Amino acid sequence: MFVFTNTVYSVDLSNKSKLRVPFSSQDNKKRVENTLSALSRDKEPINVVLTFMSHVRDESKVDYPLGIIKIAGTIKDRFQDSVKIAMIHSLVEGNVANMIKRIKSEKPKILGLSLGFGSLGELDEVMNYIQSLPKNERPLVVLGNVVASYNVLYLLERFPDVLISVGLGEAAMKGIIEYHQSKISKAEIPNIAYIEDGHIVYSKKTSIQLGSSFIPKDILQAVVETGGVMYM
């Protein structure tokens, strides 16, 4: 139901083409169009991109952590078709320029960057790209893995707009998606650190039931063909 100027109009939201409302002004028509547009956006899946950046061993071998696979599977189990998950591996993409092109093509709303050893140089380049975007086009950036967890102060001083996962990533990412959906506040996201009014805030620690594992075919194939390993 929409109420304008003391007149009630019944609108069938299931089929925009059938919308027939005797608008008394262009302003009222614009309000309904904006509402329909917002409802349509709400039905679109949230693009979540999980990117692994690391040079753990020999770069000719593609290694992959099991943690990011479990995060992807858990949030897919939890949110089903309301999320769309893409996974990127820096070594599979070949170089940071290709990795950024892939991120750009995926148009993420949430960008998770898993920072393994040796990834800070790549992080700088990715964040330079993100910060070059108009503010309304920038994804919510989440940093995780060992480099992020043990360098919270350093990373938040450099990138004060990011969130850092400091506990179980599955619980953190679930909360981050719910925050993006406006279901909870930032303070209610578990297992993260962030900047608020110039101070670092650590949220409560918690865990959730883990879901299935999720790994794209291209990354799995690269691990197998190069003799890489899947590790905890």
Side-chain angles (χ1 to χ4, degrees):
M1 285 285 188
F2 295 92
V3 181
F4 299 132
T5 61
N6 298 322
T7 303
V8 178
Y9 300 111
S10 178
V11 182
D12 179 7
L13 298 178
S14 63
N15 191 335
K16 187 176 178 180
S17 64
K18 293 182 179 180
L19 181 61
R20 297 291 185 270
V21 180
F23 296 102
S24 58
S25 70
Q26 284 299 111
D27 181 59
N28 287 347
K29 180 179 180 180
K30 189 66 176 177
R31 290 180 188 178
V32 172
E33 289 176 345
N34 289 342
T35 300
L36 290 171
S37 177
L39 288 169
S40 176
R41 287 195 302 272
D42 288 343
K43 294 180 180 179
E44 295 176 357
I46 300 170
N47 283 352
V48 179
V49 174
L50 303 177
T51 302
F52 178 61
M53 302 188 297
S54 183
H55 301 289
V56 177
R57 307 187 302 154
D58 178 357
E59 289 189 25
S60 67
K61 298 182 184 297
V62 177
D63 297 337
Y64 206 61
L66 294 175
I68 196 169
I69 298 171
K70 186 58 69 173
I71 290 171
T74 298
I75 62 176
K76 188 62 179 177
D77 288 349
R78 181 67 61 112
F79 295 99
Q80 298 292 319
D81 293 337
S82 63
V83 297
K84 176 186 175 184
I85 301 172
M87 300 173 75
I88 300 173
H89 195 303
S90 59
L91 296 183
V92 173
E93 298 305 320
N95 56 54
V96 70
N98 288 339
M99 185 169 60
I100 291 172
K101 286 181 183 178
R102 177 78 185 281
I103 292 171
K104 183 178 180 179
S105 70
E106 296 291 347
K107 298 180 180 179
K109 294 297 183 182
I110 299 172
L111 175 61
L113 302 176
S114 178
L115 307 182
F117 295 112
S119 62
L120 288 181
E122 292 178 338
L123 174 64
D124 284 341
E125 294 189 57
V126 172
M127 291 304 298
N128 285 340
Y129 160 68
I130 297 298
Q131 292 170 344
S132 73
L133 297 172
K135 285 191 175 182
N136 65 337
E137 296 180 14
R138 296 177 190 174
L140 176 58
V141 177
V142 187
L143 307 182
N145 206 336
V146 61
V147 172
S149 297
Y150 286 94
N151 293 277
V152 171
L153 177 60
Y154 171 74
L155 290 170
L156 286 178
E157 284 180 342
R158 295 188 64 193
F159 310 114
D161 294 330
V162 306
L163 306 179
I164 297 182
S165 174
V166 291
L168 292 175
E170 294 84 359
M173 189 58 70
K174 171 182 174 291
I176 288 164
I177 293 172
E178 290 173 341
Y179 169 67
H180 186 273
Q181 294 173 326
S182 300
K183 293 181 178 179
I184 63 174
S185 67
K186 184 187 292 187
E188 294 175 295
I189 303 172
N191 302 357
I192 63 166
Y194 59 95
I195 293 288
E196 186 76 34
D197 297 327
H199 300 283
I200 296 178
V201 177
Y202 288 86
S203 67
K204 67 179 180 179
K205 295 287 186 71
T206 189
S207 62
I208 62 172
Q209 179 66 43
L210 301 184
S212 59
S213 298
F214 177 90
I215 181 170
K217 182 179 178 180
D218 62 335
I219 294 177
L220 179 60
Q221 183 175 350
V223 172
V224 173
E225 290 181 352
T226 64
V229 298
M230 310 288 284
Y231 63 92
M232 296 296 289

